[in-house]
Amino acid sequence: MEKNAKIFVAGHRGLVGSAILTKLHEAGYTCLITRSHSELDLTNQQATQDFFDAEEPEYVFLAAAFVGGILANSHYRADFIFNNLAIQQNVIGESFRHGVKKLLFLGSSCIYPRLAPQPIREDALLTGPLEETNEPYAIAKIAGIKMCESFNEQYDTEYLSVMPTNLYGPNDNFDLQRSHLLPAILRKMHLAKMVGDGNFDAIRRDLSQHPIENLEVINPSDQQIREGLAYFGITPERLTLWGTGTPRREMMWSLDMAEASLFVMEQVSKEMLAGGHSAISLANSHLNVGTGVEHTIAEIAEMVKREVGYEGEIAFDHEKPDGTPRKLLDVSRINALGWKAHTSLEEGIKKYYEWYLSSPCYN
C-alpha cells in the first residue's frame, strides 16, 4: 500500500478497527477514510454504494461487524446473521464494483467446528458442526471468507481473510448483555470491587459510560446499584460467571491483531496463501492469527482478579452454557510468513485495565 493511498477502515470505532487505525497512523499512512455507524450504515446497500461512489477507496479493511459474546449470540441470533451478511455483501460488492486494489476481511475463530482437532488448522473449516451458541455469526463469517475466495478466483481480485482468535483491548464492548469473555470479566470484577470499596460514585460514572439493564434510572441509589449488579452475579463477596470455567481460550491483545492485519495487507498475497500456485484454490485461503497460547476461563478470571484487586470468590454457574470446550488456533502459517504475536496475556490484562481506568468516566 502506498503511504498516500486512500484507505477505508470500516468499523474504525470498534475493537479491531480502532486498533488498525492506530497502527496505520503509526506507520505513516496519510489518507485514511472512516465513517461512524451514525454517518454510514453499512447494512444499507444504497448508503454503502453512495459512500464508495463519493470516496473511491483504493484499499479496504473490513473490520465492521455486529458482534457479541455467548449471551448476545443466544438472544440475537437473527440480528447476528442478517446484519453481518448485509455488511459483508455491501462492502465486498462495492469494493469489486470500484476496483479496490486489496481488501482484508476480518473473520473469527468461531468459523471452525466445535470439536475441531487442536490446535485448529485453516483446513478444519467446514469439516464438522459449529458451536450452536454462535452458529449464526459463524455462518455469516464463513460466507464472507467464501465470498472473498470466489471473487479472487473468478475475477482475480486480491481479497484476503484473516481469522483472529479471541481479542481484547481499547474500545472493547463492555455491555454486559453483548460483551465477549474478557471485557465481561474485567468490568464485572471492577464493579464488584467498587461495591466492596463503597465507591458508588465511581460506579455511577461507569454506568454513565456503559449503561446496564436494570440500572438505567437517572442517578440510582446505592441500594439500587447493589440490587442491579447482583442481578448479574456481581457482589463484593462473590462474582458469578457463566459455565464451568474449564473451557480453554486463546486471547490476543487487539494491537497485536492490528499489526498482523497491516502485515498481511503490506506483505502477503493470495498466491502466498495458496501455497505459491498461480491457480488459486477455493479451499483454505484464509489465515489464522493468534498467540498459540491458551488458558482456562477460570485461569483468565484469576489473572483479572489479581490485576483488579478483587478479594471476593469467583464462582461458576454450571447451568449456563460453556460454549466451545477448547479453541486454540494453529498459527504456524502466519508465523512462517514472518509475523508473531508478542504481548503476553498477563501484560495485556495490565494494559487493558489501565486503559479502562483512563476512560472519560474515571477522569
Side-chain angles (χ1 to χ4, degrees):
M1 295 188 296
E2 306 78 21
K3 296 298 182 180
N4 62 348
K6 298 184 73 173
I7 302 171
F8 174 41
V9 182
H12 75 287
R13 288 187 173 177
L15 173 63
V16 182
S18 63
I20 289 173
L21 196 65
T22 295
K23 290 300 177 181
L24 285 167
H25 278 300
E26 290 178 357
Y29 290 95
T30 59
C31 193
L32 306 179
I33 307 167
T34 61
R35 292 290 188 279
S36 66
H37 177 70
S38 62
E39 294 170 325
L40 172 60
D41 179 1
L42 292 173
T43 66
N44 184 309
Q45 184 178 19
Q46 187 61 56
T48 307
Q49 179 179 326
D50 292 344
F51 165 78
F52 272 80
D53 286 347
E55 294 293 343
E56 294 283 355
E58 298 171 80
Y59 298 91
V60 172
F61 288 83
L62 180 43
F66 186 83
V67 299
I70 191 170
L71 179 61
N73 275 285
S74 299
H75 288 180
Y76 307 111
R77 296 175 68 83
D79 293 339
F80 273 94
I81 192 166
F82 183 88
N83 290 330
N84 284 300
L85 285 173
I87 291 169
Q88 293 161 196
Q89 176 163 310
N90 290 339
V91 174
I92 295 172
E94 289 305 315
S95 293
F96 172 70
R97 193 168 75 86
H98 288 81
V100 163
K101 297 176 182 178
K102 195 170 186 178
L103 175 145
L104 188 71
F105 173 66
L106 278 294
S108 168
S109 59
C110 71
I111 63 167
Y112 294 115
R114 182 176 188 272
L115 299 178
Q118 306 285 323
I120 307 172
R121 291 160 42 104
E122 285 88 350
D123 57 12
L125 182 63
L126 299 177
T127 60
L130 299 165
E131 164 59 38
E132 195 274 336
T133 56
N134 58 23
E135 184 182 65
Y137 180 74
I139 288 174
K141 289 297 182 180
I142 292 170
I145 296 169
K146 293 303 177 184
M147 191 181 302
C148 290
E149 291 177 351
S150 299
F151 270 96
N152 287 345
E153 184 180 49
Q154 185 173 347
Y155 296 110
D156 196 30
T157 52
E158 189 78 6
Y159 300 164
L160 306 185
S161 300
V162 288
M163 300 302 113
T165 190
N166 300 285
L167 301 174
Y168 66 99
N171 301 308
D172 217 333
N173 179 6
F174 292 93
D175 181 341
L176 297 187
Q177 294 291 103
R178 290 183 53 196
S179 59
H180 284 113
L181 171 68
L182 198 43
I185 292 177
L186 183 134
R187 188 181 181 207
K188 287 179 178 181
M189 203 85 71
H190 172 74
L191 292 173
K193 182 178 185 297
M194 292 297 98
V195 175
D197 292 345
N199 195 347
F200 290 96
D201 286 340
I203 295 174
R204 291 185 186 94
R205 291 195 298 272
D206 186 284
L207 294 173
S208 70
Q209 188 81 359
H210 311 288
I212 294 178
E213 181 184 346
N214 299 334
L215 280 173
E216 295 177 343
V217 297
I218 297 175
N219 195 28
S221 67
D222 294 359
Q223 185 59 30
Q224 285 175 317
I225 289 174
R226 286 183 183 275
E227 293 174 357
L229 294 181
Y231 173 82
F232 288 97
I234 302 170
T235 71
E237 301 77 24
R238 173 181 292 186
L239 180 69
T240 304
L241 304 176
W242 276 32
T244 64
T246 59
R248 305 184 71 84
R249 292 291 181 268
E250 176 185 18
M251 309 296 302
M252 185 166 65
W253 182 237
S254 61
L255 276 300
D256 282 4
M257 179 62 206
E259 288 180 2
S261 299
L262 194 54
F263 169 81
V264 171
M265 284 290 271
E266 290 179 333
Q267 302 187 40
V268 178
S269 68
K270 62 177 182 286
E271 286 80 11
M272 293 166 70
L273 295 186
H277 301 294
S278 58
I280 305 304
S281 169
L282 276 178
N284 310 317
S285 63
H286 55 285
L287 194 61
N288 287 343
V289 183
T291 65
V293 179
E294 62 181 346
H295 302 273
T296 67
I297 291 176
E299 290 170 344
I300 294 169
E302 287 294 335
M303 291 183 200
V304 176
K305 179 179 179 179
R306 289 194 295 271
E307 184 60 38
V308 172
Y310 176 63
E311 297 180 354
E313 172 193 0
I314 298 175
F316 288 91
D317 184 351
H318 291 212
E319 293 186 359
K320 296 295 194 297
D322 264 334
T324 303
R326 189 183 181 206
K327 193 165 59 172
L328 176 66
L329 294 182
D330 183 327
V331 292
S332 58
R333 290 180 76 199
I334 193 167
N335 290 172
L337 289 168
W339 183 88
K340 290 185 179 181
H342 54 80
T343 305
S344 70
L345 184 54
E346 291 86 352
E347 179 187 357
I349 289 174
K350 179 178 177 60
K351 292 180 179 180
Y352 196 36
Y353 194 46
E354 288 174 351
W355 176 85
Y356 189 85
L357 293 179
S358 71
S359 63
C361 60
Y362 289 102
N363 291 278

